[in-house]
């Protein structure tokens, strides 16, 4: 594992009320990081656990400092306010995590135009705009990182045609991030993407992919969090412009046993469900 620490570092994350984003935030909080969460979930959802406020409480309990910000990554004023509030509260921004994402696996003929627009607005535009807004402050950070939770650009017909609208949105996140990596390399800002080999036991998997059956053959969000931690503690100037895979990042860090990440303890690796895009 990396020897560095996120103690005292400030993370600005889109989403993060639950699931993978919250797991990443809690992993950083255990080091004593500052975490600003920009999310829409001000009040409890009838089907989904967690709000930006409950997530902030968990971050504080884990040892970090939290700043819950109720905002929509589709709204430019909300983005500007989130960046300014984070800078004002913690004195800077070291890391941006583009976690907010919308999923709809409908085929092209079935996908509602509004849902297509929503995926583009949150996944692609939100990633670009939040990253861009934070860049002037990231330039002053000691080890600045942008991390987007999106897949490598696999342009095989299998994935291009499986759910074209969603594929476009996730690949757009990746392209925006790789573009930032190239554009701001001279400023020492790292920008990478991170994606898992297997499905992750989150509400998105349960409600959009395969219900309880899929949850049982997935890994926990902690595997994503541990890999993100490895990425975010690497030297920014040396580790950028990559489409990284969760498990490979951990293997490179010396992890050989992934059994503790099984959502259902005892499930062998070969029975876990492979994630899409790989």
């Amino acid at each position: 594992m990396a020897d560095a620490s996120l103690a005292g570092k400030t993370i600005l994350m889109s989403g993060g009320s639950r699931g993978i984003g919250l797991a990443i935030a809690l992993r950083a909080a255990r080091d004593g990081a500052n975490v600003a969460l920009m999310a829409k979930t001000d009040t409890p959802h009838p089907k989904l656990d967690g709000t930006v406020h409950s997530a902030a409480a968990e971050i504080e309990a884990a040892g970090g400092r939290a700043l819950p910000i109720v905002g929509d990554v589709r709204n430019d004023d909300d983005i500007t306010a989130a960046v300014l509030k984070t800078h004002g509260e913690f004195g800077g921004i070291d890391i941006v995590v583009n976690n907010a994402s919308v999923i709809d696996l409908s085929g092209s003929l079935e996908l509602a135009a509004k849902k297509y627009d929503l995926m583009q607005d949150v996944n692609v535009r939100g990633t670009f705009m939040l990253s861009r807004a934070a860049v002037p402050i990231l330039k002053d950070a000691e080890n600045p990182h942008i991390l987007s939770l999106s897949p490598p650009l696999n342009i095989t017909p299998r994935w291009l045609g499986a759910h074209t609208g969603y594929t476009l949105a996730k690949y757009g996140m990746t392209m925006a991030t790789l573009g930032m990596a190239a554009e701001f390399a001279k400023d020492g800002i790292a920008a990478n993407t991170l994606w898992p080999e297997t499905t992750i036991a989150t509400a998105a998997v349960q409600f959009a992919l395969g219900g309880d059956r899929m949850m049982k053959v997935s890994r926990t969000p902690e595997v994503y969090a541990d890999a993100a931690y490895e990425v975010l503690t690497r030297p920014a100037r040396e580790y950028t412009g990559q489409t990284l895979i969760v498990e490979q990042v951990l293997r490179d860090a010396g992890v050989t046993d992934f059994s503790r990440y099984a959502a259902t303890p005892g499930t062998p690796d070969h029975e876990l469900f492979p994630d899409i895009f790989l």
Side-chain angles (χ1 to χ4, degrees), residues 4-278:
S5 168
L6 293 179
K9 300 292 186 181
T10 296
I11 299 171
L12 172 57
M13 178 185 296
S14 62
S17 298
R18 61 183 71 89
I20 293 167
L22 179 55
I24 292 173
L26 292 176
R27 179 65 186 86
R30 293 203 296 272
D31 273 6
N34 310 313
V35 184
L37 299 178
M38 177 190 177
K40 290 171 58 182
T41 50
D42 187 30
T43 57
H45 188 281
K47 293 184 178 180
L48 302 174
D49 291 334
T51 68
V52 67
H53 307 293
S54 65
E58 289 188 55
I59 290 166
E60 297 273 356
R65 294 174 62 198
L67 177 65
I69 302 171
V70 178
D72 190 338
V73 77
R74 295 174 295 172
N75 185 300
D76 293 346
D77 290 339
D78 285 0
I79 288 175
T80 299
V83 170
L84 293 177
K85 287 178 181 178
T86 303
H87 184 269
E89 179 73 15
F90 300 121
I93 298 174
D94 299 281
I95 295 163
V96 171
V97 177
N98 293 301
N99 165 73
S101 185
V102 176
I103 181 172
D104 189 318
L105 302 183
S106 299
S108 296
L109 299 182
E110 295 76 32
L111 180 64
K114 286 185 178 180
K115 200 59 171 291
Y116 175 89
D117 291 342
L118 179 62
M119 289 194 289
Q120 286 290 320
D121 284 348
V122 173
N123 300 9
V124 188
R125 191 180 188 279
T127 293
F128 178 82
M129 290 297 182
L130 182 62
S131 300
R132 184 178 77 164
V135 161
I137 300 172
L138 287 171
K139 287 182 178 181
D140 294 330
E142 181 182 359
N143 192 42
H145 280 265
I146 297 170
L147 182 65
S148 300
L149 309 190
S150 60
L153 300 175
N154 183 349
I155 58 171
T156 63
R158 177 186 181 191
W159 294 125
L160 288 177
H163 27 65
T164 302
Y166 179 63
T167 299
L168 284 170
K170 293 306 288 188
Y171 285 4
M173 287 182 72
T174 297
M175 293 182 70
T177 306
L178 294 178
M180 294 279 178
E183 186 173 358
F184 300 108
K186 65 183 182 299
D187 298 300
I189 299 174
N192 298 288
T193 69
L194 188 62
W195 196 251
E197 288 180 353
T198 75
T199 51
I200 303 297
T202 64
V205 167
Q206 186 168 24
F207 293 113
L209 291 181
D212 292 338
R213 181 188 64 82
M214 187 76 78
M215 295 284 279
K216 292 178 180 178
V217 290
S218 299
R219 287 193 168 119
T220 64
E222 282 67 34
V223 71
Y224 222 135
D226 287 348
Y229 183 89
E230 287 295 326
V231 175
L232 298 174
T233 53
R234 298 285 180 88
R237 290 186 179 273
E238 303 170 13
Y239 201 68
T240 186
Q242 299 188 57
T243 54
L244 302 163
I245 304 302
V246 164
E247 287 81 354
Q248 191 56 53
V249 168
L250 293 176
R251 291 185 191 105
D252 291 344
V255 176
T256 57
D257 182 4
F258 289 83
S259 60
R260 66 190 177 95
Y261 297 118
T264 301
T267 304
D269 287 352
H270 71 269
E271 291 185 10
L272 297 175
F273 197 85
D275 207 292
I276 56 180
F277 298 124
L278 300 184

